[in-house]
Amino acid sequence: MTDPIHITCPVCQAKNRIPAARLAANPTCGACKAPLFPDTPFELTEAKLNKHLKNDEVPLLVDFWAPWCGPCRMMAPAFAEASKQMSPNVRFAKLDTEQNQAVGSRFQIRGIPLIILFDKGREIARQPGAMDARSIVGWVGQHLKG
Ligand code: ZN
């Protein structure tokens, strides 16, 4: 990781610079004061995702889901639990594929739920299907090692 680390605010998408040593100290956005590492996964639109992919230097795990998808809704608590366990090393976000239909073809999504792990704007790995919290944490850890 670089130091300071660039990270996009999950609320206002301002670009923040945080010294690496302060990442675990619950830093807040310089522009809107929102926590940069919220307790629960934050909602993205495609436009917001673009800003995160452009600026973030902390890995981002995105849950591509939709309100009509039963397995997606069932997985939500596990995703939130995994988010708590992995903060601040990874940030967790959710993207509603029904409201952001262009992401389906852009990321070649064939089925949801689908999680995609991004680091410095690039896709590192993806995993389709509902997972429990332990599996999510294990899967992310495995892909961030390399
Ligand atoms: Zn902000």
Side-chain angles (χ1 to χ4, degrees):
M1 271 193 188
T2 52
D3 191 2
I5 288 162
H6 293 103
I7 186 166
T8 308
C9 171
V11 175
C12 75
Q13 276 70 51
K15 187 174 168 183
N16 283 257
R17 270 191 306 274
I18 305 290
R22 282 197 52 226
L23 280 189
N26 204 16
T28 54
C29 172
C32 77
K33 307 298 176 204
L36 293 174
F37 296 90
D39 290 338
T40 51
F42 51 91
E43 290 284 342
L44 287 176
T45 60
E46 186 179 11
K48 289 179 179 177
L49 174 64
N50 289 339
K51 292 198 175 169
H52 285 269
L53 294 182
K54 184 162 169 257
N55 296 325
D56 279 10
E57 292 177 333
V58 172
L60 180 71
L61 182 67
V62 181
D63 173 18
F64 292 86
W65 72 291
W68 48 262
C69 163
C72 297
R73 293 200 309 271
M74 278 171 54
M75 183 172 126
F79 194 71
E81 172 59 30
S83 170
K84 274 194 202 106
Q85 290 184 28
M86 303 209 83
S87 181
N89 298 318
V90 182
R91 293 200 299 174
F92 283 51
K94 298 171 73 72
L95 200 154
D96 182 339
T97 56
E98 193 172 56
Q99 285 181 23
N100 299 273
Q101 296 201 353
V103 299
S105 54
R106 176 178 170 188
F107 293 103
Q108 300 179 323
I109 296 172
R110 293 189 191 87
I112 52 171
L114 170 73
I115 54 173
I116 300 183
L117 179 62
F118 298 97
D119 192 17
K120 300 187 178 69
R122 291 187 18 243
E123 177 177 335
I124 301 293
R126 64 168 64 196
Q127 181 69 43
M131 294 165 82
D132 61 25
R134 204 170 138 231
S135 305
I136 296 169
V137 170
W139 180 84
V140 171
Q142 179 191 332
H143 287 286
L144 286 181
K145 255 187 234 157

